Amino acid sequence: GQQVMQIPQYQHVQEGEDFTTYCNSSTTLSNIQWYKQRPGGHPVFLIQLVKSGEVKKQKRLTFQFGEAKKNSSLHITATQTTDVGTYFCAGLTGYQKVTFGTGTKLQVIP
Amino acid sequence: NAGVTQTPKFRVLKTGQSMTLLCAQDMNHEYMYWYRQDPGMGLRLIHYSVGEGTTAKGEVPDGYNVSRLKKQNFLLGLESAAPSQTSVYFCASWTSGRETYEQYFGPGTRLTVT
C-alpha cells in the first residue's frame, strides 16, 4: 500500500541552527501538505504544495515539492524554541484519502 | 465556531469493554476522518466518511466500527477493547470545493486499555 516516510525521525538542534525534514512517497502524489503538532497538541495545517518543483515560503520556513511529485522537504532557517514540535507531511492518495508521513520530532536547545 | 470537538478527552478501559468516541464539527464539512497516533508511527487512518451515511475503511480498521448518521457527527466504536488499541485518537474534517485539502483536527482522545 501507499507509504510515506519521513527522515529523520528525531532532530535536536541548537537554537539558531537550521533544520530540514524530508518526506518520500512510494507513489506519485497529486499534492502534499505539511502539518505541525506541538507537544500534547493536535496537528495544525501549515501549507499545501501542488505543482511539480513548487517552492513556497512562510517566514523562516521553506517548503519544496519534488519534480517527480514523490518527495518533499521542509527547511527551517535559524530555529527558535517556538519551532519545537513534530512535523508531518501528508499526501493525497486515493479518493479523498490522505496518508500521513511518520513525522520528524524537532527539539530546539536554547 | 467550535471547530472540531471530541468526547471524551481521556478514558481508561479494561480489556473487553466497549466504548464510543464522538467527533463533532460545526463547519458543515463533508469529509470526516478518524486517525490513531502511536509513538514513531505518525497518524494512521482508521475509517473515514465522504458524506452523511457513508463510511470507508482506512489503513488500520480492524477492531473499530464507525457511523455517520448526521453530517456533523462521526462516531468511532470499539466493540471489545484490547491493549493494542491504547493510543491517542484524532478526528479530522475538511470540505471539498476548495483548492486546499486542509484538514481540521480535534484535540484528541487519550485512550488506555489495561
Side-chain angles (χ1 to χ4, degrees):
Chain A
Q2 173 75 29
Q3 286 192 330
V4 180
M5 302 300 293
Q6 275 182 260
I7 55 170
Q9 190 174 359
Y10 301 97
Q11 184 82 55
H12 291 172
V13 299
Q14 206 73 34
E15 187 173 17
E17 291 182 340
D18 293 356
F19 159 77
T20 303
T21 174
Y22 300 91
C23 177
N24 292 288
S25 169
S26 57
T27 61
T28 302
L29 300 169
S30 56
N31 66 50
I32 196 155
Q33 304 132 44
W34 284 91
Y35 290 79
K36 176 182 178 181
Q37 183 178 24
R38 294 183 187 275
H42 58 274
V44 175
F45 176 85
L46 293 176
I47 208 161
Q48 174 177 286
L49 304 169
V50 178
K51 299 175 185 174
S52 170
E54 188 172 12
V55 178
K56 286 189 177 181
K57 293 191 176 185
Q58 285 181 350
K59 297 182 181 178
R60 294 178 294 102
L61 279 61
T62 302
F63 304 84
Q64 191 164 4
F65 201 9
E67 293 291 340
K69 300 183 76 172
K70 294 179 73 173
N71 56 72
S72 181
S73 64
L74 158 59
H75 180 81
I76 302 178
T77 304
T79 54
Q80 300 175 357
T81 54
T82 53
D83 296 325
V84 164
T86 301
Y87 292 85
F88 292 98
C89 62
L92 188 65
T93 59
Y95 178 63
Q96 315 301 9
K97 192 169 142 184
V98 173
T99 298
F100 277 79
T102 45
T104 295
K105 188 172 183 178
L106 172 64
Q107 185 66 34
V108 179
I109 305 162
Chain B
N1 271 2
V4 180
T5 57
Q6 291 183 233
T7 315
K9 289 186 168 50
F10 304 93
R11 186 72 186 267
V12 178
L13 284 180
K14 293 187 184 229
T15 298
Q17 287 185 320
S18 63
M19 78 164 293
T20 300
L21 282 68
L22 170 63
C23 175
Q25 52 93 4
D26 60 2
M27 297 173 284
N28 203 34
H29 286 173
E30 295 94 340
Y31 310 120
M32 296 186 74
Y33 302 81
W34 276 107
Y35 296 93
R36 61 176 289 173
Q37 185 173 34
D38 303 293
M41 301 193 74
L43 291 148
R44 292 183 292 169
L45 182 63
I46 305 171
H47 286 282
Y48 64 106
S49 168
V50 298
E52 183 178 322
T54 74
T55 62
K57 292 181 181 179
E59 183 187 350
V60 287
D62 294 342
Y64 306 94
N65 57 74
V66 288
S67 64
R68 182 109 181 260
L69 299 179
K70 293 183 179 180
K71 187 176 184 179
Q72 63 268 35
N73 295 338
F74 195 27
L75 278 63
L76 177 71
L78 285 73
E79 293 179 344
S80 180
S84 60
Q85 293 178 305
T86 293
S87 188
V88 180
Y89 292 86
F90 286 102
C91 175
S93 72
W94 61 279
T95 187
S96 64
R98 299 173 60 186
E99 291 185 2
T100 302
Y101 291 83
E102 174 180 355
Q103 293 193 43
Y104 295 81
F105 282 82
T109 295
R110 289 188 176 274
L111 175 66
T112 302
V113 183
T114 60

